[in-house]
Amino acid sequence: MQDEEVLGKAYDSKLMKRLIEFIKPHKKYIYIALPLLCLTSVGENIGPFLTKEAIDNYIANGDLGGLAWIAGLFLIAVSVTFVSRFGQTYFTNLMGQKIMYDLRVKLFKHVQNLSLKYFDKNPVGRVMTRLTSDVEALNELFSSGLVTVFGDVFSIAIITGMLFYLDWKLALITFTVFPILFYVTFLFKKRVRFAFREVKLRTAVINSQLQENISGMNVVQLFNREERNYENFVKENNELLDSHVKTIFNFAIFFPGVEFINSIAISMIIWFGGVRNLESTLTFGTLVAFIQYTQVIFRPIRDLSEKYNILQGAMASSERIFTVFDTEPKIINSPNPIIKENFQGEIEFKNVWFAYEGEDWVLKDVSFKVEAGESLALVGATGSGKSTIISLLCRFYDIQKGEIFVDGVSLKDLDVLELRKNISLVLQDVFLFSESVLNNIRLGNSEISEAQIVEVAKKANAHDFISKLSDGYKTQLRERGSLLSTGQKQLISFARALAFDPKILVLDEATSNIDTETESLIQDAVHELMQNRTSIIVAHRLSTIQEADKILVLHKGKVREIGNHQELLANKNIYYKLYRLQYNLKVE
Ligand SMILES: Nc1ncnc2c1ncn2[C@@H]1O[C@H](COP(=O)(O)OP(=O)(O)OP(=O)(O)O)[C@@H](O)[C@H]1O
Ligand SMILES: [Mg+2]
């Protein structure tokens, strides 16, 4: 079972305390809503009593004036209820929305600062759920749970009080069915909760299946998986149907059941009350009021049991939300960060050991130095740790042993923001936002003018194809740039890197095959990118490798060779072999 689905306690005082912290800034709404709520309860439940008064005191005596008076009172009560219920609904929901707003903002800010390790461990879907449905569950608590509970309790108290006030003997008789009513309601709620949970689970399964199928449609069609996937889908769909049917059954039986129990109470009132009316120990008006009250008391009872579910759901959600809040950002900026005035871009790795998990060393005792303005090409088999070196330089992860220096300052002492400001990173897998090309290059930095963007796009060889897009630089990219080719996306990311004119350029070259024309554009652009700055490039292209001042050969997380192209070829070692393998024995 996914952790989303585990239902915990309905009340946890520690969680509640933390939740109340979020209510505090908006507590004025509670002060407004509570009196309105009481007013609503009174207004809604005064009707039967007025009816009784009308029947016993005025209709019976033919007192028209009094009757008009009661009718007027009734109207006033209805109007007051109208206004107070409106106000109460409005303000409690407003409070709920404002708390949600705060929560989302805080959560988003927190999530943004979490280290990449967190995102390695938590799939996108889960993090999204925290920010959306979990927050939504809390909204239910604040807008229809916490405050309105008072209203329900108050209504039950008013009705009970009224019944006993009118006639305590008949009240006792009426109350004999209430335990059954309570029991049936809570039983129903419990069963529905389980059924709903199953529905939710099944829906989640179907959703993820659909998502995979749709986004991987090309693979599905290419491998003729349609039939198999269809069968899988039908199977899951059947299970979803079954779980829905379970909830239908519960609902179909519950409401008639409650009617039935209520009717038993009413038939008892008619019998016992009727007999007493004939004996003249109970007025006719009281009898009518009793019947009316019994018909409405079920409502707050049902609502109360609903609140129990809301509370339980909200507790589970808030626990998950607070777990996110309690996750410390692993990359902690030094308390007295060094902010370099003139960033040069000299990089040194000194005996660096790093593991993503435990002692599973991905980098072992890695040392190298790149002077400011120099370029270093990282070469090695897949999984040898090239991308990892890049992540470490950007301080996406902290190393376990050794030291990384930038301009002679340990990475841990440098201001993280400052460090990243001076690094431009072009990744293997280019990420584009669903925004205009322009904004994808400047990434929201309005200091970069449009003219500058065109200039860097030209340098990155991206200008030509961008100009040909339907809207030029204003073209909106949808779904991570699905209308662009891989090579074009790469060129845009180069333009992005150039726009920020960093001291250090980090480039993880894409391995994907690109048509020869784009290939030469890219080669050209990489050359442009490497000018006047330190660059570390995970290189697959021979041209890039040859152009680099230094080449570092990485093998299973260890530095095996370091030197320039000619030197390494002369060594006749790993680089030599790699080179021969990759470039089809061009050397001998
Ligand atoms: N986020 C991560 N969490 C755990 N392990 C990881 C993570 N990223 C990479 N690894 C592991 O670290 C090792 C080095 O990965 P890395 O991505 O640095 O290789 P690479 O040299 O860039 O390979 P490629 O040429 O295929 O891009 C691999 O064994 C990989 O499984
Ligand atoms: Mg890589």
Side-chain angles (χ1 to χ4, degrees):
M1 196 171 280
Q2 293 164 324
D3 62 346
E4 267 73 21
E5 304 308 324
V6 180
L7 286 175
K9 308 186 257 191
Y11 187 81
D12 181 323
S13 56
K14 262 197 214 133
L15 288 177
M16 209 52 181
K17 254 190 210 143
R18 297 184 68 174
L19 281 176
I20 287 172
E21 286 304 310
F22 281 93
I23 304 180
K24 270 186 187 160
H26 307 291
K27 61 178 179 226
K28 60 170 183 281
Y29 296 116
I30 294 189
Y31 295 145
I32 303 173
L34 271 184
L36 288 175
L37 208 66
C38 297
L39 208 57
T40 313
S41 291
V42 172
E44 278 181 346
N45 294 309
I46 197 116
F49 180 72
L50 291 178
T51 313
K52 175 211 169 283
E53 289 294 302
I55 294 174
D56 288 350
N57 295 339
Y58 305 108
I59 298 177
N61 306 330
D63 178 351
L64 268 185
L67 198 58
W69 177 233
I70 291 282
L73 265 184
F74 203 98
L75 260 182
I76 292 173
V78 170
S79 315
V80 167
T81 313
F82 174 77
V83 175
S84 61
R85 186 169 272 297
F86 158 76
Q88 172 253 315
T89 311
Y90 184 80
F91 286 113
T92 43
N93 280 289
L94 190 63
M95 178 178 80
Q97 292 298 336
K98 295 215 165 172
I99 294 173
M100 274 214 296
Y101 174 88
D102 292 353
L103 258 172
R104 276 193 300 253
V105 169
K106 278 209 175 115
L107 209 53
F108 184 72
K109 190 165 177 203
H110 188 78
V111 166
Q112 272 199 321
N113 287 324
L114 289 178
S115 82
L116 288 189
K117 215 166 205 160
Y118 178 81
F119 300 98
D120 289 345
K121 286 192 187 132
N122 294 283
V124 185
R126 194 182 296 167
V127 184
M128 293 275 294
T129 312
R130 297 294 167 274
L131 274 148
T132 53
S133 30
D134 278 338
V135 173
E136 192 63 45
L138 287 185
N139 175 44
E140 245 188 311
L141 174 69
F142 294 125
S143 57
S144 57
L146 270 190
V147 181
T148 43
V149 152
F150 292 105
D152 294 331
V153 172
F154 201 63
S155 286
I156 295 177
I158 289 181
I159 297 177
T160 311
M162 269 295 180
L163 292 183
F164 276 96
Y165 167 75
L166 290 172
D167 191 280
W168 67 271
K169 282 184 213 150
L170 198 55
L172 282 182
I173 291 172
T174 312
F175 271 73
T176 51
V177 301
F178 278 15
I180 310 176
L181 200 58
F182 270 108
Y183 179 70
V184 166
T185 309
F186 276 92
L187 194 69
F188 164 75
K189 288 295 170 187
K190 199 170 144 194
R191 295 186 55 153
V192 163
R193 191 165 72 234
F194 279 105
F196 269 153
R197 192 166 61 169
E198 213 183 298
V199 168
K200 252 171 88 179
L201 254 169
R202 298 270 159 236
T203 313
V205 170
I206 284 219
N207 280 351
S208 69
Q209 217 183 48
L210 274 177
Q211 200 221 329
E212 276 191 4
N213 266 298
I214 294 173
S215 49
M217 193 55 85
N218 48 0
V219 181
V220 172
Q221 294 184 348
L222 184 64
F223 289 90
N224 292 323
R225 291 274 311 186
E226 292 97 330
E227 198 62 36
R228 286 273 302 276
N229 288 2
Y230 174 76
E231 277 161 25
N232 272 344
F233 185 77
V234 169
K235 190 173 135 270
E236 292 299 337
N237 203 13
N238 272 328
E239 305 226 10
L240 179 62
L241 179 68
D242 285 347
S243 48
H244 270 301
V245 169
K246 268 188 219 158
T247 65
I248 294 173
F249 174 79
N250 280 307
F251 274 101
I253 193 134
F254 175 66
F255 288 100
V258 165
E259 283 294 316
F260 181 70
I261 296 166
N262 249 351
S263 305
I264 292 177
I266 291 173
S267 74
M268 288 203 300
I269 294 169
I270 293 176
W271 172 251
F272 290 105
V275 168
R276 295 225 352 245
N277 182 254
L278 293 178
E279 288 169 353
S280 298
T281 51
L282 189 86
T283 65
F284 182 64
T286 309
L287 188 57
V288 172
F290 253 85
I291 293 175
Q292 286 186 342
Y293 276 129
T294 311
Q295 276 168 336
V296 294
I297 194 168
F298 162 67
R299 212 170 43 201
I301 294 179
R302 182 196 54 193
D303 288 353
L304 257 189
S305 60
E306 184 66 49
K307 307 274 138 84
Y308 180 83
N309 286 354
I310 291 179
L311 197 61
Q312 197 174 31
M315 282 299 140
S317 287
S318 60
E319 186 167 8
R320 294 194 290 262
I321 289 176
F322 287 132
T323 311
V324 178
F325 276 128
D326 293 342
T327 312
E328 300 259 341
K330 281 280 157 34
I331 306 295
I332 296 165
N333 212 0
S334 142
N336 304 305
I338 296 173
I339 299 181
K340 297 262 328 172
E341 285 296 320
N342 281 314
F343 217 85
Q344 296 302 314
E346 178 201 280
I347 299 162
E348 185 176 9
F349 273 52
K350 213 168 181 180
N351 310 102
V352 170
W353 289 73
F354 174 75
Y356 286 99
E357 210 61 66
E359 297 261 300
D360 228 343
W361 300 114
V362 171
L363 293 185
K364 299 167 200 152
D365 205 24
V366 169
S367 300
F368 63 86
K369 186 167 181 186
V370 192
E371 304 294 340
E374 256 188 2
S375 56
L376 174 81
L378 296 176
V379 178
T382 176
S384 55
K386 305 180 297 289
S387 300
T388 305
I389 288 189
I390 284 177
S391 297
L392 295 183
L393 179 62
C394 302
R395 211 175 159 202
F396 290 142
Y397 303 88
D398 273 334
I399 54 176
Q400 279 92 350
K401 288 189 245 174
E403 198 102 57
I404 300 174
F405 298 99
V406 171
D407 282 6
V409 181
S410 169
L411 214 56
K412 285 185 173 142
D413 299 326
L414 265 181
D415 184 60
V416 180
L417 288 181
E418 200 65 25
L419 168 76
R420 292 184 185 158
K421 211 191 257 175
N422 284 290
I423 298 181
S424 264
L425 177 62
V426 179
L427 286 178
Q428 268 175 316
D429 181 11
V430 176
F431 190 92
L432 296 177
F433 294 90
S434 351
E435 287 200 39
S436 64
V437 174
L438 200 73
N439 278 336
N440 260 296
I441 295 176
R442 67 151 77 121
L443 287 183
N445 186 344
S446 49
E447 279 173 31
I448 303 171
S449 71
E450 283 186 35
Q452 274 171 305
I453 288 172
V454 174
E455 190 189 328
V456 293
K458 277 184 181 155
K459 276 191 189 162
N461 287 335
H463 178 74
D464 284 347
F465 87 83
I466 295 175
S467 317
K468 286 190 195 118
L469 293 175
S470 58
D471 255 338
Y473 283 83
K474 300 247 156 57
T475 310
Q476 291 290 323
L477 299 180
R478 264 177 302 268
E479 300 234 358
R480 307 185 60 176
S482 56
L483 51 88
L484 299 176
S485 76
T486 314
Q488 289 171 333
K489 285 189 232 177
Q490 193 100 78
L491 293 179
I492 288 189
S493 71
F494 288 164
R496 182 192 281 169
L498 277 176
F500 284 80
D501 193 24
K503 274 285 173 239
I504 298 177
L505 170 81
V506 179
L507 170 67
D508 210 340
E509 264 191 349
T511 34
S512 59
N513 285 319
I514 286 165
D515 62 278
T516 30
E517 194 187 343
T518 322
E519 174 75 35
S520 73
L521 289 181
I522 288 181
Q523 264 176 28
D524 209 43
V526 171
H527 175 81
E528 182 63 40
L529 274 166
M530 286 163 71
Q531 301 303 310
N532 309 321
R533 53 179 61 95
T534 315
S535 48
I536 294 194
I537 297 178
V538 175
H540 301 289
R541 289 184 183 80
L542 188 57
S543 59
T544 322
I545 299 173
Q546 282 174 335
E547 200 179 325
D549 298 313
K550 272 184 200 157
I551 301 166
L552 186 154
V553 182
L554 209 59
H555 188 66
K556 292 188 177 155
K558 280 191 181 151
V559 178
R560 295 293 292 271
E561 288 177 280
I562 200 158
N564 66 29
H565 182 66
Q566 294 310 329
E567 288 166 4
L568 292 189
L569 279 186
N571 276 355
K572 295 222 167 183
N573 208 324
I574 297 180
Y575 181 77
Y576 175 75
K577 284 181 205 146
L578 267 176
Y579 185 73
R580 279 182 42 151
L581 261 176
Q582 206 160 350
Y583 304 102
N584 298 332
L585 304 166
K586 272 190 204 141
V587 277
E588 195 39 68

PDB file of all heavy atoms in Angstrom, residues 327-344:
ATOM      1  N   THR A 327      12.261  17.790   6.660  1.00  0.00           N
ATOM      2  CA  THR A 327      13.435  17.357   5.903  1.00  0.00           C
ATOM      3  C   THR A 327      14.355  18.554   5.727  1.00  0.00           C
ATOM      4  O   THR A 327      14.010  19.525   5.094  1.00  0.00           O
ATOM      5  CB  THR A 327      13.022  16.838   4.507  1.00  0.00           C
ATOM      6  OG1 THR A 327      11.945  15.945   4.659  1.00  0.00           O
ATOM      7  CG2 THR A 327      14.179  16.159   3.825  1.00  0.00           C
ATOM      8  N   GLU A 328      15.523  18.442   6.370  1.00  0.00           N
ATOM      9  CA  GLU A 328      16.458  19.561   6.312  1.00  0.00           C
ATOM     10  C   GLU A 328      17.083  19.629   4.919  1.00  0.00           C
ATOM     11  O   GLU A 328      17.392  18.592   4.353  1.00  0.00           O
ATOM     12  CB  GLU A 328      17.592  19.324   7.322  1.00  0.00           C
ATOM     13  CG  GLU A 328      17.127  19.208   8.730  1.00  0.00           C
ATOM     14  CD  GLU A 328      17.364  20.493   9.485  1.00  0.00           C
ATOM     15  OE1 GLU A 328      18.189  21.301   9.010  1.00  0.00           O
ATOM     16  OE2 GLU A 328      16.735  20.679  10.528  1.00  0.00           O
ATOM     17  N   PRO A 329      17.269  20.839   4.405  1.00  0.00           N
ATOM     18  CA  PRO A 329      18.036  20.918   3.169  1.00  0.00           C
ATOM     19  C   PRO A 329      19.440  20.414   3.475  1.00  0.00           C
ATOM     20  O   PRO A 329      20.091  20.926   4.381  1.00  0.00           O
ATOM     21  CB  PRO A 329      18.033  22.405   2.830  1.00  0.00           C
ATOM     22  CG  PRO A 329      17.498  23.095   4.021  1.00  0.00           C
ATOM     23  CD  PRO A 329      16.828  22.117   4.908  1.00  0.00           C
ATOM     24  N   LYS A 330      19.884  19.410   2.772  1.00  0.00           N
ATOM     25  CA  LYS A 330      21.160  18.761   3.117  1.00  0.00           C
ATOM     26  C   LYS A 330      22.357  19.648   2.781  1.00  0.00           C
ATOM     27  O   LYS A 330      23.385  19.587   3.419  1.00  0.00           O
ATOM     28  CB  LYS A 330      21.279  17.412   2.411  1.00  0.00           C
ATOM     29  CG  LYS A 330      20.473  16.335   3.104  1.00  0.00           C
ATOM     30  CD  LYS A 330      21.217  15.796   4.314  1.00  0.00           C
ATOM     31  CE  LYS A 330      20.317  15.149   5.360  1.00  0.00           C
ATOM     32  NZ  LYS A 330      19.147  14.447   4.915  1.00  0.00           N
ATOM     33  N   ILE A 331      22.196  20.467   1.753  1.00  0.00           N
ATOM     34  CA  ILE A 331      23.287  21.363   1.405  1.00  0.00           C
ATOM     35  C   ILE A 331      23.093  22.627   2.237  1.00  0.00           C
ATOM     36  O   ILE A 331      22.172  23.399   1.999  1.00  0.00           O
ATOM     37  CB  ILE A 331      23.254  21.729  -0.087  1.00  0.00           C
ATOM     38  CG1 ILE A 331      23.235  20.479  -0.957  1.00  0.00           C
ATOM     39  CG2 ILE A 331      24.407  22.655  -0.447  1.00  0.00           C
ATOM     40  CD1 ILE A 331      24.467  19.627  -0.875  1.00  0.00           C
ATOM     41  N   ILE A 332      23.917  22.775   3.246  1.00  0.00           N
ATOM     42  CA  ILE A 332      23.736  23.926   4.118  1.00  0.00           C
ATOM     43  C   ILE A 332      24.825  24.949   3.839  1.00  0.00           C
ATOM     44  O   ILE A 332      26.014  24.620   3.827  1.00  0.00           O
ATOM     45  CB  ILE A 332      23.724  23.480   5.592  1.00  0.00           C
ATOM     46  CG1 ILE A 332      22.515  22.568   5.812  1.00  0.00           C
ATOM     47  CG2 ILE A 332      23.668  24.678   6.521  1.00  0.00           C
ATOM     48  CD1 ILE A 332      22.554  21.786   7.078  1.00  0.00           C
ATOM     49  N   ASN A 333      24.376  26.148   3.598  1.00  0.00           N
ATOM     50  CA  ASN A 333      25.328  27.206   3.323  1.00  0.00           C
ATOM     51  C   ASN A 333      26.167  27.468   4.563  1.00  0.00           C
ATOM     52  O   ASN A 333      25.663  27.404   5.682  1.00  0.00           O
ATOM     53  CB  ASN A 333      24.574  28.476   2.929  1.00  0.00           C
ATOM     54  CG  ASN A 333      25.356  29.300   1.939  1.00  0.00           C
ATOM     55  OD1 ASN A 333      26.463  28.916   1.547  1.00  0.00           O
ATOM     56  ND2 ASN A 333      24.797  30.413   1.535  1.00  0.00           N
ATOM     57  N   SER A 334      27.435  27.733   4.361  1.00  0.00           N
ATOM     58  CA  SER A 334      28.308  28.017   5.488  1.00  0.00           C
ATOM     59  C   SER A 334      27.785  29.245   6.240  1.00  0.00           C
ATOM     60  O   SER A 334      27.240  30.171   5.631  1.00  0.00           O
ATOM     61  CB  SER A 334      29.721  28.263   4.945  1.00  0.00           C
ATOM     62  OG  SER A 334      30.337  29.290   5.666  1.00  0.00           O
ATOM     63  N   PRO A 335      27.911  29.227   7.583  1.00  0.00           N
ATOM     64  CA  PRO A 335      27.372  30.358   8.357  1.00  0.00           C
ATOM     65  C   PRO A 335      28.027  31.685   7.991  1.00  0.00           C
ATOM     66  O   PRO A 335      27.379  32.727   8.018  1.00  0.00           O
ATOM     67  CB  PRO A 335      27.644  29.971   9.812  1.00  0.00           C
ATOM     68  CG  PRO A 335      28.571  28.808   9.762  1.00  0.00           C
ATOM     69  CD  PRO A 335      28.462  28.169   8.426  1.00  0.00           C
ATOM     70  N   ASN A 336      29.316  31.644   7.652  1.00  0.00           N
ATOM     71  CA  ASN A 336      29.986  32.866   7.185  1.00  0.00           C
ATOM     72  C   ASN A 336      30.502  32.641   5.781  1.00  0.00           C
ATOM     73  O   ASN A 336      31.706  32.450   5.576  1.00  0.00           O
ATOM     74  CB  ASN A 336      31.159  33.227   8.103  1.00  0.00           C
ATOM     75  CG  ASN A 336      30.705  33.370   9.530  1.00  0.00           C
ATOM     76  OD1 ASN A 336      29.796  34.134   9.824  1.00  0.00           O
ATOM     77  ND2 ASN A 336      31.318  32.589  10.410  1.00  0.00           N
ATOM     78  N   PRO A 337      29.600  32.627   4.807  1.00  0.00           N
ATOM     79  CA  PRO A 337      30.031  32.276   3.458  1.00  0.00           C
ATOM     80  C   PRO A 337      30.979  33.317   2.893  1.00  0.00           C
ATOM     81  O   PRO A 337      30.847  34.514   3.166  1.00  0.00           O
ATOM     82  CB  PRO A 337      28.731  32.231   2.659  1.00  0.00           C
ATOM     83  CG  PRO A 337      27.787  33.090   3.416  1.00  0.00           C
ATOM     84  CD  PRO A 337      28.180  33.002   4.853  1.00  0.00           C
ATOM     85  N   ILE A 338      31.939  32.815   2.131  1.00  0.00           N
ATOM     86  CA  ILE A 338      32.879  33.723   1.471  1.00  0.00           C
ATOM     87  C   ILE A 338      32.286  34.123   0.132  1.00  0.00           C
ATOM     88  O   ILE A 338      31.881  33.272  -0.659  1.00  0.00           O
ATOM     89  CB  ILE A 338      34.239  33.029   1.262  1.00  0.00           C
ATOM     90  CG1 ILE A 338      34.842  32.707   2.632  1.00  0.00           C
ATOM     91  CG2 ILE A 338      35.164  33.890   0.406  1.00  0.00           C
ATOM     92  CD1 ILE A 338      36.093  31.882   2.574  1.00  0.00           C
ATOM     93  N   ILE A 339      32.177  35.422  -0.077  1.00  0.00           N
ATOM     94  CA  ILE A 339      31.685  35.886  -1.370  1.00  0.00           C
ATOM     95  C   ILE A 339      32.849  36.482  -2.141  1.00  0.00           C
ATOM     96  O   ILE A 339      33.442  37.478  -1.721  1.00  0.00           O
ATOM     97  CB  ILE A 339      30.546  36.909  -1.188  1.00  0.00           C
ATOM     98  CG1 ILE A 339      29.382  36.235  -0.457  1.00  0.00           C
ATOM     99  CG2 ILE A 339      30.099  37.458  -2.542  1.00  0.00           C
ATOM    100  CD1 ILE A 339      28.195  37.105  -0.226  1.00  0.00           C
ATOM    101  N   LYS A 340      33.214  35.802  -3.230  1.00  0.00           N
ATOM    102  CA  LYS A 340      34.386  36.242  -3.989  1.00  0.00           C
ATOM    103  C   LYS A 340      34.039  37.451  -4.848  1.00  0.00           C
ATOM    104  O   LYS A 340      33.005  37.483  -5.501  1.00  0.00           O
ATOM    105  CB  LYS A 340      34.863  35.113  -4.905  1.00  0.00           C
ATOM    106  CG  LYS A 340      35.334  33.889  -4.179  1.00  0.00           C
ATOM    107  CD  LYS A 340      36.823  33.771  -3.986  1.00  0.00           C
ATOM    108  CE  LYS A 340      37.668  34.365  -5.076  1.00  0.00           C
ATOM    109  NZ  LYS A 340      39.077  34.356  -4.698  1.00  0.00           N
ATOM    110  N   GLU A 341      34.921  38.425  -4.805  1.00  0.00           N
ATOM    111  CA  GLU A 341      34.702  39.618  -5.622  1.00  0.00           C
ATOM    112  C   GLU A 341      34.948  39.306  -7.091  1.00  0.00           C
ATOM    113  O   GLU A 341      34.087  39.477  -7.934  1.00  0.00           O
ATOM    114  CB  GLU A 341      35.637  40.750  -5.174  1.00  0.00           C
ATOM    115  CG  GLU A 341      35.214  41.415  -3.875  1.00  0.00           C
ATOM    116  CD  GLU A 341      33.876  42.123  -3.993  1.00  0.00           C
ATOM    117  OE1 GLU A 341      33.651  42.757  -5.042  1.00  0.00           O
ATOM    118  OE2 GLU A 341      33.045  42.035  -3.055  1.00  0.00           O
ATOM    119  N   ASN A 342      36.168  38.825  -7.337  1.00  0.00           N
ATOM    120  CA  ASN A 342      36.531  38.534  -8.722  1.00  0.00           C
ATOM    121  C   ASN A 342      36.646  37.045  -8.925  1.00  0.00           C
ATOM    122  O   ASN A 342      37.655  36.432  -8.618  1.00  0.00           O
ATOM    123  CB  ASN A 342      37.851  39.205  -9.077  1.00  0.00           C
ATOM    124  CG  ASN A 342      37.642  40.665  -9.357  1.00  0.00           C
ATOM    125  OD1 ASN A 342      36.710  41.027 -10.082  1.00  0.00           O
ATOM    126  ND2 ASN A 342      38.466  41.499  -8.751  1.00  0.00           N
ATOM    127  N   PHE A 343      35.617  36.495  -9.437  1.00  0.00           N
ATOM    128  CA  PHE A 343      35.614  35.066  -9.645  1.00  0.00           C
ATOM    129  C   PHE A 343      36.528  34.750 -10.826  1.00  0.00           C
ATOM    130  O   PHE A 343      36.371  35.287 -11.911  1.00  0.00           O
ATOM    131  CB  PHE A 343      34.183  34.625  -9.939  1.00  0.00           C
ATOM    132  CG  PHE A 343      33.856  33.312  -9.333  1.00  0.00           C
ATOM    133  CD1 PHE A 343      33.417  33.237  -8.023  1.00  0.00           C
ATOM    134  CD2 PHE A 343      33.968  32.148 -10.075  1.00  0.00           C
ATOM    135  CE1 PHE A 343      33.104  32.019  -7.454  1.00  0.00           C
ATOM    136  CE2 PHE A 343      33.664  30.938  -9.507  1.00  0.00           C
ATOM    137  CZ  PHE A 343      33.224  30.861  -8.211  1.00  0.00           C
ATOM    138  N   GLN A 344      37.490  33.867 -10.607  1.00  0.00           N
ATOM    139  CA  GLN A 344      38.416  33.518 -11.694  1.00  0.00           C
ATOM    140  C   GLN A 344      38.001  32.219 -12.371  1.00  0.00           C
ATOM    141  O   GLN A 344      38.038  32.089 -13.579  1.00  0.00           O
ATOM    142  CB  GLN A 344      39.846  33.380 -11.160  1.00  0.00           C
ATOM    143  CG  GLN A 344      40.410  34.676 -10.614  1.00  0.00           C
ATOM    144  CD  GLN A 344      40.410  35.779 -11.663  1.00  0.00           C
ATOM    145  OE1 GLN A 344      40.801  35.568 -12.801  1.00  0.00           O
ATOM    146  NE2 GLN A 344      39.942  36.959 -11.276  1.00  0.00           N
TER     147      GLN A 344
END
